[in-house]
Amino acid sequence: MTISDNITQQTDEIEGLSSIYFPNFAIEDEDCRSYSIKVVEGGREAMLFFKFPLNYPADSPPIYQISAPWLKGEDGLDVDNQLQNVFLENIGEPVIFQWVVKLREALSSFQPVSNDSMEEKTKFNVDEIKDVFPHYPLIHGEPLSAGKCTFQGHVAIVKNISDIKSALKALHQIKKVANTTHNIYAYRIQRSGNIISDCDDDGETHAGSRMLHLLEILNASDVLVIVTRWFGGVHLGPARFQHINNAARQVLIQAQIICNEKKTVK
């Protein structure tokens, strides 16, 4: 890989990071290819400062520094080791997004990463939801895997904005969901003959609007659908939108909100 190839990948990576993490992404020194991302999770925050050497991502990792006063000693060394391992496992590929994911995990908990399979991590007990919010039992779909990523749909019947806030609060009180990479949602509510709708990408640009489009063509109303995505280290490109919508459709069918009829969603 030539220096020109490296610069091209760096440019593409920065464009993606600025889109995903705005307004927490900043250019520190464009000429020196130096940037920063503020990472917030679990009531804590950290600053990830990084600079791209000319031979990144082909041969060398980004030069970085983490600013977080609470991240010291063995905890700091553990995070450093995780970031280095991510680079070694993905030499030749951009890694900053994965580094931010690792830092978010460190912010939420310093417990060692489990070796359990992704499927084990993404199974939920409905009783967990009922214990938190007995009036909002969400239905959880089966985890769908693609390229080491896992997608899982969740659905709740909602009648107003207050219902939506309560259902989302119930879901986010489950640590496995709150600490994941993305929780994308869309909803449609019928009120006095009109449809109230909205969506949230949660950092997965355009994913929420595509889920809302799915609800529209299925003519689903009084429903909130959320898709949780666990990033497994492989970038799926545009195919990720299909997996997100498949997870949403699967849980809507499971909840008997729609019938099992296929409609093309672009």
Side-chain angles (χ1 to χ4, degrees):
M1 185 180 294
T2 66
I3 290 178
S4 177
D5 292 332
N6 285 329
I7 296 298
T8 298
Q9 287 210 45
Q10 291 175 18
T11 301
D12 291 343
E13 184 176 21
I14 289 303
E15 289 179 357
L17 292 171
S18 63
S19 174
I20 293 170
Y21 295 112
F22 178 82
N24 292 332
F25 173 87
I27 299 173
E28 300 293 330
D29 189 330
E30 190 167 20
D31 291 338
C32 294
R33 298 181 302 282
S34 179
Y35 312 90
S36 68
I37 298 175
K38 181 170 74 172
V39 183
V40 182
E41 184 71 32
R44 290 178 170 176
E45 68 178 56
M47 290 296 300
L48 173 64
F49 297 93
F50 58 95
K51 177 181 177 181
F52 290 150
L54 289 175
N55 54 351
Y56 167 80
D59 301 304
S60 299
I63 301 166
Y64 72 94
Q65 180 179 356
I66 298 172
S67 177
W70 48 269
L71 190 61
K72 298 178 180 178
E74 292 184 1
D75 293 329
L77 290 174
D78 181 62
V79 171
D80 284 338
N81 288 335
Q82 290 187 49
L83 299 192
Q84 292 298 325
N85 287 337
V86 167
F87 173 74
L88 292 174
E89 292 169 2
N90 298 274
I91 291 178
E93 299 292 334
V95 296
I96 296 299
F97 180 84
Q98 296 178 62
W99 279 13
V100 173
V101 171
K102 289 295 183 184
L103 193 51
R104 286 182 65 184
E105 293 174 355
L107 287 169
S108 62
S109 174
F110 293 122
Q111 296 300 317
V113 178
S114 170
N115 290 325
D116 295 339
S117 67
M118 185 64 73
E119 183 175 351
E120 289 287 330
K121 292 180 181 179
T122 56
K123 286 183 179 178
F124 293 90
N125 185 337
V126 174
D127 290 337
E128 290 181 294
I129 291 288
K130 291 182 178 178
D131 289 341
V132 176
F133 267 79
H135 300 297
Y136 288 95
L138 288 97
I139 295 174
H140 307 287
E142 290 297 318
L144 307 176
S145 297
K148 295 185 180 179
C149 294
T150 298
F151 304 83
Q152 185 171 34
H154 321 272
V155 69
I157 302 301
V158 291
K159 298 294 185 181
N160 50 52
I161 301 301
S162 179
D163 286 354
I164 292 167
K165 291 180 179 179
S166 296
L168 289 172
K169 183 176 181 180
L171 188 64
H172 282 85
Q173 287 195 22
I174 299 176
K175 189 175 181 181
K176 298 171 187 175
V177 173
N179 293 339
T180 193
T181 315
H182 304 289
N183 283 302
I184 308 138
Y185 71 81
Y187 66 82
R188 295 182 84 232
I189 302 171
Q190 190 167 20
R191 181 183 294 175
S192 302
N194 297 318
I195 293 291
I196 299 173
S197 64
D198 203 355
C199 59
D200 192 312
D201 296 330
D202 193 27
E204 187 69 275
T205 306
H206 304 310
S209 59
R210 291 177 183 238
M211 278 175 47
L212 181 57
H213 177 57
L214 174 67
L215 294 180
E216 289 170 351
I217 66 170
L218 294 173
N219 197 29
S221 60
D222 296 338
V223 62
L224 165 70
V225 61
I226 309 109
V227 172
T228 298
R229 180 189 180 187
W230 287 263
F231 181 72
V234 176
H235 293 279
L236 301 177
R240 68 190 185 279
F241 297 119
Q242 179 180 352
H243 300 306
I244 290 167
N245 272 6
N246 284 343
R249 181 190 293 274
Q250 185 270 333
V251 75
L252 289 167
I253 293 171
Q254 181 179 324
Q256 299 183 349
I257 292 172
I258 63 171
C259 60
N260 191 8
E261 293 181 358
K262 298 248 179 175
K263 294 186 181 181
T264 302
V265 182
K266 297 183 179 179

